[in-house]
Amino acid sequence: MTDNDELLAERRRRSLGPAYRHFFSRPLYLTRGEGVWLFDNDGRKYLDCYNNVASVGHCHPHVVAALHRQASTLNTHTRYLHHAVVEYAEMLAATLPGDLSVCMFVCTGSEANDLAYQIARAVTGNDGAITTSGAYHGNTTLVTELSPDSGRRRPAPDYIVDVEAPYTYRGTFGAGHADYENAYADLVDAAIDTLRERGKAPAMMIIDNIFDAHGILTPGPAYHQAVYRKVRAAGGLMVADEVQSGLCRLGEHYWAFEDVDVIPDIVTMGKPLGDGHPLAAVVTTPDIAAAFANTQHYFNTFGGNPVSTAVGRAVLEVIANENILANVGATGRYLKGGLDELAARHELVGEVRGKGLFLGVELVTDRADRTPATDAARRVVEHMRESGVLIASTGAHSNVLKFRPPMVFRKEHADLVLAALDEALTETV
Ligand code: PMP
């Protein structure tokens, strides 16, 4: 860091306060982005293997042009009629299966999940909520309670019950268990019983379909289908949090829940929708939307404004025009193959997980005991940054390296990541 960077970091400490964190021990000061590349204030180039918000690449010209065009024409809100808002809602709905056709717009994933709970409560008449222990769903007061990973430091309120996530590498049921998916799903019965003992029933269960904060998990259809059956039988709705896993990220379908053959009652989306612009949404069925509207009106000052929705539309156009879904599938398989190959050579790697361009590499100090290699993970992340590749870590022990680049990532970029990781793993042992 130069003196100027130190000064800026100090001003940031004073003006933003201590709750904020930097990714790296030496703060990274980024000043420009283009596609999969980021540039710092010294003009140094970094390969971005972490940022899913810049879903179709940093500063994509088609998206920037759409933003500029609409921002130079009109920006109001959803209490006026505007074609951009309606057209985007129609386009977004067209990416979803079943009856999921009504879009309500917000600005963040947190707001989307908060609204999902309000809808579920209004529609079911219940107020219980089930979440997975280790999950992160956002930062409103309610959603913080639904996010055991947010550093929730006190017991959850009595209407929220956590269930263990299907983490076969460390959880109660390992991959060797004959029917681990149903075994994990059965834990939801206990959660429903707990709510019942408290005189409550579930309004919803919320699942992040890539279990990002848990360390990236991809249980199969049996798990999801059993959970959906149980929650619905108890009168609750299923909420798919696609803030991380959605919009082609897993490389097979637009939405992760499609990979496991379920159709949620409510889908929440955020991060990737606006390629960096704050655009998020709740999508549900006409029946659920109507039942919610019977209980209250909905308005969000910024959510779904004409500029945001013009941006969202441009992102969907890029996804179609540039064949993004197929690219995520092909590049993701290639990157995962390379990570598997590194796992075979580096003792530090316990397990490689994930799908599409959302991959995790769990580091352990020894493979037999599976002791989390938290410190090594931190050093690998820092080492890769020095080599010009940006990643981060996730999971309860921060020992799972996370690879989640813009979806315009290609095989040649994957090669750069694999070479940098090979070197970092070699030097970190
Ligand atoms: N859901 C999931 C799965 C998330 O990972 C996040 C953010 N990391 C959120 C919701 C909240 O989104 P936001 O930060 O836009 O409020």
Side-chain angles (χ1 to χ4, degrees), residues 107-111 113 136-139 208 212 241 243-244 271:
C107 306
T108 67
S110 303
E111 282 181 85
N113 288 329
Y136 182 78
H137 293 292
N139 63 10
D208 162 8
D212 172 34
D241 179 340
V243 168
Q244 292 274 2
K271 291 180 188 285

Side-chain angles (χ1 to χ4, degrees), residues 99-102 104 115-124 203 232 236-239 263-267 282-296:
D99 241 5
L100 292 164
S101 59
V102 179
M104 297 168 75
L115 178 59
Y117 175 70
Q118 291 181 48
I119 295 172
R121 201 175 47 175
V123 170
T124 63
R232 284 174 171 159
L237 303 186
M238 283 306 306
V239 178
I263 300 188
D265 302 295
I266 300 175
V267 185
V282 173
V283 186
T284 190
T285 67
D287 286 350
I288 292 174
F292 176 61
N294 283 336
T295 69
Q296 67 193 77

Side-chain angles (χ1 to χ4, degrees), residues 136-347:
Y136 182 78
H137 293 292
N139 63 10
T140 67
T141 304
L142 164 79
V143 174
T144 299
E145 303 286 14
L146 287 171
S147 302
D149 182 57
S150 62
R152 189 170 79 191
R153 289 185 187 89
R154 51 201 182 85
D158 71 344
Y159 64 92
I160 292 178
V161 181
D162 303 349
V163 291
E164 184 180 339
Y167 188 2
T168 51
Y169 192 67
R170 291 193 184 283
T172 305
F173 309 108
H177 185 287
D179 193 9
Y180 66 83
E181 293 187 330
N182 276 301
Y184 277 109
D186 284 346
L187 300 177
V188 171
D189 292 331
I192 293 168
D193 287 345
T194 303
L195 285 173
R196 192 175 300 120
E197 283 156 20
R198 297 174 183 171
K200 297 183 175 301
M204 69 169 197
M205 175 164 174
I206 183 164
I207 296 185
D208 162 8
N209 282 322
I210 190 71
F211 294 88
D212 172 34
H214 304 76
I216 306 175
L217 316 174
T218 52
Y223 172 76
H224 290 273
Q225 289 169 7
V227 167
Y228 273 55
R229 265 196 314 278
K230 290 169 191 294
V231 171
R232 284 174 171 159
L237 303 186
M238 283 306 306
V239 178
D241 179 340
E242 294 271 354
V243 168
Q244 292 274 2
S245 56
L247 206 67
C248 305
R249 174 58 51 186
L250 303 193
E252 260 185 65
H253 299 98
Y254 268 68
W255 307 101
F257 63 79
E258 296 177 272
D259 289 15
V260 287
D261 261 331
V262 289
I263 300 188
D265 302 295
I266 300 175
V267 185
T268 59
M269 341 172 151
K271 291 180 188 285
L273 295 191
D275 197 36
H277 185 85
L279 172 62
V282 173
V283 186
T284 190
T285 67
D287 286 350
I288 292 174
F292 176 61
N294 283 336
T295 69
Q296 67 193 77
H297 290 163
Y298 174 69
F299 177 60
N300 184 308
T301 301
F302 298 113
N305 66 66
V307 171
S308 299
T309 47
V311 166
R313 176 195 184 124
V315 171
L316 291 179
E317 287 166 350
V318 172
I319 287 175
N321 295 344
E322 297 186 13
N323 237 339
I324 294 287
L325 184 59
N327 180 61
V328 172
T331 311
R333 275 189 297 280
Y334 181 79
L335 181 56
K336 193 169 189 194
L339 295 174
D340 284 334
E341 195 267 319
L342 290 182
R345 287 195 283 112
H346 292 279
E347 278 291 308

Side-chain angles (χ1 to χ4, degrees), residues 328-387:
V328 172
T331 311
R333 275 189 297 280
Y334 181 79
L335 181 56
K336 193 169 189 194
L339 295 174
D340 284 334
E341 195 267 319
L342 290 182
R345 287 195 283 112
H346 292 279
E347 278 291 308
L348 204 51
V349 177
E351 190 170 65
V352 176
R353 295 192 290 268
K355 257 182 117 170
L357 284 175
F358 208 133
L359 301 171
V361 173
E362 174 143 11
L363 301 187
V364 290
T365 55
D366 70 293
R367 285 183 171 177
D369 289 349
R370 303 187 174 183
T371 312
T374 303
D375 199 45
R378 191 185 46 73
R379 281 183 281 130
V380 167
V381 170
E382 297 273 354
H383 190 289
M384 290 188 68
R385 174 253 172 102
E386 299 304 333
S387 314

Side-chain angles (χ1 to χ4, degrees), residues 67 69-78 80 82 84-85 277 301-310:
L67 187 148
R69 214 168 28 248
Q70 188 57 46
S72 336
T73 312
L74 175 76
N75 199 16
T76 50
H77 54 71
T78 46
Y80 298 105
H82 197 279
V85 182
H277 185 85
T301 301
F302 298 113
N305 66 66
V307 171
S308 299
T309 47

